PDB file of all heavy atoms in Angstrom:
ATOM      1  N   TRP A 937     234.000 233.459  77.690  1.00  0.00           N
ATOM      2  CA  TRP A 937     234.087 232.109  77.153  1.00  0.00           C
ATOM      3  C   TRP A 937     235.554 231.729  76.967  1.00  0.00           C
ATOM      4  O   TRP A 937     235.896 230.568  77.138  1.00  0.00           O
ATOM      5  CB  TRP A 937     233.290 232.054  75.852  1.00  0.00           C
ATOM      6  CG  TRP A 937     233.863 232.944  74.745  1.00  0.00           C
ATOM      7  CD1 TRP A 937     233.509 234.262  74.523  1.00  0.00           C
ATOM      8  CD2 TRP A 937     234.896 232.642  73.809  1.00  0.00           C
ATOM      9  NE1 TRP A 937     234.209 234.794  73.526  1.00  0.00           N
ATOM     10  CE2 TRP A 937     235.094 233.867  73.033  1.00  0.00           C
ATOM     11  CE3 TRP A 937     235.624 231.520  73.529  1.00  0.00           C
ATOM     12  CZ2 TRP A 937     236.012 233.867  72.036  1.00  0.00           C
ATOM     13  CZ3 TRP A 937     236.540 231.582  72.472  1.00  0.00           C
ATOM     14  CH2 TRP A 937     236.730 232.738  71.737  1.00  0.00           C
ATOM     15  N   LEU A 938     236.397 232.675  76.657  1.00  0.00           N
ATOM     16  CA  LEU A 938     237.856 232.405  76.399  1.00  0.00           C
ATOM     17  C   LEU A 938     238.526 232.378  77.786  1.00  0.00           C
ATOM     18  O   LEU A 938     239.309 231.447  78.061  1.00  0.00           O
ATOM     19  CB  LEU A 938     238.475 233.436  75.512  1.00  0.00           C
ATOM     20  CG  LEU A 938     240.005 233.304  75.263  1.00  0.00           C
ATOM     21  CD1 LEU A 938     240.243 232.026  74.577  1.00  0.00           C
ATOM     22  CD2 LEU A 938     240.487 234.441  74.505  1.00  0.00           C
ATOM     23  N   ILE A 939     238.220 233.279  78.631  1.00  0.00           N
ATOM     24  CA  ILE A 939     238.799 233.249  80.021  1.00  0.00           C
ATOM     25  C   ILE A 939     238.458 231.998  80.737  1.00  0.00           C
ATOM     26  O   ILE A 939     239.308 231.442  81.421  1.00  0.00           O
ATOM     27  CB  ILE A 939     238.302 234.543  80.809  1.00  0.00           C
ATOM     28  CG1 ILE A 939     238.799 235.772  80.166  1.00  0.00           C
ATOM     29  CG2 ILE A 939     238.767 234.482  82.208  1.00  0.00           C
ATOM     30  CD1 ILE A 939     238.218 237.063  80.723  1.00  0.00           C
ATOM     31  N   ASP A 940     237.241 231.563  80.571  1.00  0.00           N
ATOM     32  CA  ASP A 940     236.798 230.298  81.278  1.00  0.00           C
ATOM     33  C   ASP A 940     237.710 229.120  80.810  1.00  0.00           C
ATOM     34  O   ASP A 940     237.964 228.237  81.676  1.00  0.00           O
ATOM     35  CB  ASP A 940     235.338 230.019  80.882  1.00  0.00           C
ATOM     36  CG  ASP A 940     234.481 229.890  82.030  1.00  0.00           C
ATOM     37  OD1 ASP A 940     234.937 230.205  83.190  1.00  0.00           O
ATOM     38  OD2 ASP A 940     233.280 229.544  81.987  1.00  0.00           O
ATOM     39  N   ARG A 941     238.086 229.047  79.623  1.00  0.00           N
ATOM     40  CA  ARG A 941     238.939 227.910  79.152  1.00  0.00           C
ATOM     41  C   ARG A 941     240.305 227.984  79.781  1.00  0.00           C
ATOM     42  O   ARG A 941     240.885 226.972  80.173  1.00  0.00           O
ATOM     43  CB  ARG A 941     239.041 227.964  77.644  1.00  0.00           C
ATOM     44  CG  ARG A 941     237.806 227.270  76.971  1.00  0.00           C
ATOM     45  CD  ARG A 941     237.351 228.037  75.788  1.00  0.00           C
ATOM     46  NE  ARG A 941     236.191 227.388  75.128  1.00  0.00           N
ATOM     47  CZ  ARG A 941     234.948 227.696  75.493  1.00  0.00           C
ATOM     48  NH1 ARG A 941     234.707 228.535  76.479  1.00  0.00           N
ATOM     49  NH2 ARG A 941     233.908 227.110  74.887  1.00  0.00           N
ATOM     50  N   VAL A 942     240.835 229.199  79.968  1.00  0.00           N
ATOM     51  CA  VAL A 942     242.150 229.333  80.609  1.00  0.00           C
ATOM     52  C   VAL A 942     242.038 228.976  82.104  1.00  0.00           C
ATOM     53  O   VAL A 942     242.871 228.274  82.648  1.00  0.00           O
ATOM     54  CB  VAL A 942     242.723 230.757  80.491  1.00  0.00           C
ATOM     55  CG1 VAL A 942     243.943 230.985  81.271  1.00  0.00           C
ATOM     56  CG2 VAL A 942     242.889 231.116  79.031  1.00  0.00           C
ATOM     57  N   GLU A 943     240.956 229.369  82.737  1.00  0.00           N
ATOM     58  CA  GLU A 943     240.713 229.094  84.164  1.00  0.00           C
ATOM     59  C   GLU A 943     240.532 227.563  84.267  1.00  0.00           C
ATOM     60  O   GLU A 943     241.056 226.909  85.281  1.00  0.00           O
ATOM     61  CB  GLU A 943     239.471 229.790  84.699  1.00  0.00           C
ATOM     62  CG  GLU A 943     239.700 231.298  84.882  1.00  0.00           C
ATOM     63  CD  GLU A 943     238.479 231.976  85.277  1.00  0.00           C
ATOM     64  OE1 GLU A 943     237.375 231.374  85.315  1.00  0.00           O
ATOM     65  OE2 GLU A 943     238.577 233.182  85.625  1.00  0.00           O
ATOM     66  N   THR A 944     239.776 226.969  83.420  1.00  0.00           N
ATOM     67  CA  THR A 944     239.609 225.527  83.462  1.00  0.00           C
ATOM     68  C   THR A 944     240.867 224.754  83.316  1.00  0.00           C
ATOM     69  O   THR A 944     241.185 223.751  83.975  1.00  0.00           O
ATOM     70  CB  THR A 944     238.544 225.042  82.441  1.00  0.00           C
ATOM     71  OG1 THR A 944     237.349 225.729  82.672  1.00  0.00           O
ATOM     72  CG2 THR A 944     238.353 223.565  82.465  1.00  0.00           C
ATOM     73  N   ALA A 945     241.739 225.238  82.401  1.00  0.00           N
ATOM     74  CA  ALA A 945     243.059 224.572  82.158  1.00  0.00           C
ATOM     75  C   ALA A 945     243.863 224.669  83.442  1.00  0.00           C
ATOM     76  O   ALA A 945     244.548 223.694  83.805  1.00  0.00           O
ATOM     77  CB  ALA A 945     243.836 225.227  80.972  1.00  0.00           C
ATOM     78  N   GLN A 946     243.829 225.849  84.145  1.00  0.00           N
ATOM     79  CA  GLN A 946     244.578 225.920  85.396  1.00  0.00           C
ATOM     80  C   GLN A 946     243.967 225.022  86.448  1.00  0.00           C
ATOM     81  O   GLN A 946     244.721 224.408  87.202  1.00  0.00           O
ATOM     82  CB  GLN A 946     244.510 227.416  85.924  1.00  0.00           C
ATOM     83  CG  GLN A 946     245.055 227.593  87.281  1.00  0.00           C
ATOM     84  CD  GLN A 946     246.523 227.214  87.372  1.00  0.00           C
ATOM     85  OE1 GLN A 946     247.295 227.420  86.524  1.00  0.00           O
ATOM     86  NE2 GLN A 946     246.873 226.702  88.538  1.00  0.00           N
ATOM     87  N   ASN A 947     242.640 224.884  86.543  1.00  0.00           N
ATOM     88  CA  ASN A 947     242.023 224.026  87.474  1.00  0.00           C
ATOM     89  C   ASN A 947     242.403 222.530  87.220  1.00  0.00           C
ATOM     90  O   ASN A 947     242.761 221.787  88.197  1.00  0.00           O
ATOM     91  CB  ASN A 947     240.492 224.135  87.442  1.00  0.00           C
ATOM     92  CG  ASN A 947     240.046 225.470  87.913  1.00  0.00           C
ATOM     93  OD1 ASN A 947     240.709 226.175  88.644  1.00  0.00           O
ATOM     94  ND2 ASN A 947     238.852 225.845  87.524  1.00  0.00           N
ATOM     95  N   VAL A 948     242.435 222.110  85.959  1.00  0.00           N
ATOM     96  CA  VAL A 948     242.778 220.705  85.638  1.00  0.00           C
ATOM     97  C   VAL A 948     244.202 220.471  85.924  1.00  0.00           C
ATOM     98  O   VAL A 948     244.598 219.457  86.439  1.00  0.00           O
ATOM     99  CB  VAL A 948     242.452 220.483  84.113  1.00  0.00           C
ATOM    100  CG1 VAL A 948     243.057 219.130  83.692  1.00  0.00           C
ATOM    101  CG2 VAL A 948     240.988 220.489  83.919  1.00  0.00           C
ATOM    102  N   THR A 949     245.123 221.491  85.637  1.00  0.00           N
ATOM    103  CA  THR A 949     246.518 221.301  85.926  1.00  0.00           C
ATOM    104  C   THR A 949     246.791 221.156  87.411  1.00  0.00           C
ATOM    105  O   THR A 949     247.537 220.273  87.858  1.00  0.00           O
ATOM    106  CB  THR A 949     247.329 222.508  85.330  1.00  0.00           C
ATOM    107  OG1 THR A 949     247.072 222.590  83.956  1.00  0.00           O
ATOM    108  CG2 THR A 949     248.808 222.344  85.577  1.00  0.00           C
ATOM    109  N   SER A 950     246.137 221.992  88.198  1.00  0.00           N
ATOM    110  CA  SER A 950     246.410 221.909  89.652  1.00  0.00           C
ATOM    111  C   SER A 950     245.841 220.610  90.203  1.00  0.00           C
ATOM    112  O   SER A 950     246.393 220.058  91.084  1.00  0.00           O
ATOM    113  CB  SER A 950     245.848 223.188  90.374  1.00  0.00           C
ATOM    114  OG  SER A 950     244.470 223.210  90.206  1.00  0.00           O
ATOM    115  N   ASP A 951     244.670 220.225  89.704  1.00  0.00           N
ATOM    116  CA  ASP A 951     244.098 218.938  90.138  1.00  0.00           C
ATOM    117  C   ASP A 951     245.002 217.745  89.815  1.00  0.00           C
ATOM    118  O   ASP A 951     245.197 216.831  90.567  1.00  0.00           O
ATOM    119  CB  ASP A 951     242.727 218.659  89.547  1.00  0.00           C
ATOM    120  CG  ASP A 951     241.677 219.620  90.183  1.00  0.00           C
ATOM    121  OD1 ASP A 951     241.921 220.228  91.214  1.00  0.00           O
ATOM    122  OD2 ASP A 951     240.595 219.724  89.548  1.00  0.00           O
ATOM    123  N   SER A 952     245.653 217.874  88.649  1.00  0.00           N
ATOM    124  CA  SER A 952     246.508 216.761  88.171  1.00  0.00           C
ATOM    125  C   SER A 952     247.722 216.710  89.050  1.00  0.00           C
ATOM    126  O   SER A 952     248.240 215.609  89.440  1.00  0.00           O
ATOM    127  CB  SER A 952     246.970 216.995  86.702  1.00  0.00           C
ATOM    128  OG  SER A 952     245.894 216.965  85.897  1.00  0.00           O
ATOM    129  N   PHE A 953     248.303 217.853  89.448  1.00  0.00           N
ATOM    130  CA  PHE A 953     249.457 217.938  90.327  1.00  0.00           C
ATOM    131  C   PHE A 953     249.090 217.319  91.717  1.00  0.00           C
ATOM    132  O   PHE A 953     249.844 216.588  92.262  1.00  0.00           O
ATOM    133  CB  PHE A 953     249.978 219.364  90.518  1.00  0.00           C
ATOM    134  CG  PHE A 953     250.915 219.742  89.454  1.00  0.00           C
ATOM    135  CD1 PHE A 953     250.579 220.703  88.518  1.00  0.00           C
ATOM    136  CD2 PHE A 953     252.202 219.221  89.368  1.00  0.00           C
ATOM    137  CE1 PHE A 953     251.394 221.113  87.533  1.00  0.00           C
ATOM    138  CE2 PHE A 953     253.068 219.666  88.371  1.00  0.00           C
ATOM    139  CZ  PHE A 953     252.695 220.566  87.470  1.00  0.00           C
ATOM    140  N   LEU A 954     247.913 217.662  92.222  1.00  0.00           N
ATOM    141  CA  LEU A 954     247.393 217.164  93.474  1.00  0.00           C
ATOM    142  C   LEU A 954     247.280 215.662  93.480  1.00  0.00           C
ATOM    143  O   LEU A 954     247.689 214.907  94.355  1.00  0.00           O
ATOM    144  CB  LEU A 954     246.128 217.814  93.850  1.00  0.00           C
ATOM    145  CG  LEU A 954     245.600 217.400  95.228  1.00  0.00           C
ATOM    146  CD1 LEU A 954     246.515 217.782  96.282  1.00  0.00           C
ATOM    147  CD2 LEU A 954     244.243 218.092  95.448  1.00  0.00           C
ATOM    148  N   CYS A 955     246.700 215.118  92.325  1.00  0.00           N
ATOM    149  CA  CYS A 955     246.614 213.646  92.207  1.00  0.00           C
ATOM    150  C   CYS A 955     247.930 213.030  92.123  1.00  0.00           C
ATOM    151  O   CYS A 955     248.207 211.920  92.707  1.00  0.00           O
ATOM    152  CB  CYS A 955     245.860 213.301  90.909  1.00  0.00           C
ATOM    153  SG  CYS A 955     244.078 213.701  91.044  1.00  0.00           S
ATOM    154  N   GLY A 956     248.917 213.606  91.442  1.00  0.00           N
ATOM    155  CA  GLY A 956     250.284 213.023  91.420  1.00  0.00           C
ATOM    156  C   GLY A 956     250.914 213.006  92.819  1.00  0.00           C
ATOM    157  O   GLY A 956     251.591 212.036  93.162  1.00  0.00           O
ATOM    158  N   ILE A 957     250.750 214.101  93.579  1.00  0.00           N
ATOM    159  CA  ILE A 957     251.329 214.103  94.913  1.00  0.00           C
ATOM    160  C   ILE A 957     250.687 213.022  95.771  1.00  0.00           C
ATOM    161  O   ILE A 957     251.375 212.312  96.499  1.00  0.00           O
ATOM    162  CB  ILE A 957     251.144 215.490  95.513  1.00  0.00           C
ATOM    163  CG1 ILE A 957     251.987 216.516  94.749  1.00  0.00           C
ATOM    164  CG2 ILE A 957     251.447 215.517  96.991  1.00  0.00           C
ATOM    165  CD1 ILE A 957     251.736 217.984  95.105  1.00  0.00           C
ATOM    166  N   LEU A 958     249.364 212.908  95.734  1.00  0.00           N
ATOM    167  CA  LEU A 958     248.659 211.874  96.481  1.00  0.00           C
ATOM    168  C   LEU A 958     249.118 210.487  96.074  1.00  0.00           C
ATOM    169  O   LEU A 958     249.282 209.596  96.933  1.00  0.00           O
ATOM    170  CB  LEU A 958     247.169 212.050  96.470  1.00  0.00           C
ATOM    171  CG  LEU A 958     246.558 213.266  97.136  1.00  0.00           C
ATOM    172  CD1 LEU A 958     245.093 213.375  96.855  1.00  0.00           C
ATOM    173  CD2 LEU A 958     246.828 213.207  98.646  1.00  0.00           C
ATOM    174  N   SER A 959     249.239 210.317  94.793  1.00  0.00           N
ATOM    175  CA  SER A 959     249.649 208.993  94.245  1.00  0.00           C
ATOM    176  C   SER A 959     251.048 208.640  94.734  1.00  0.00           C
ATOM    177  O   SER A 959     251.337 207.521  95.094  1.00  0.00           O
ATOM    178  CB  SER A 959     249.586 209.004  92.755  1.00  0.00           C
ATOM    179  OG  SER A 959     249.969 207.729  92.274  1.00  0.00           O
TER     180      SER A 959
END
Side-chain angles (χ1 to χ4, degrees):
W937 62 272
L938 179 63
I939 294 170
D940 239 5
R941 279 141 180 87
V942 174
E943 290 175 352
T944 300
Q946 172 61 35
N947 294 338
V948 169
T949 302
S950 63
D951 288 345
S952 298
F953 276 110
L954 183 62
C955 287
I957 290 169
L958 289 174
S959 178

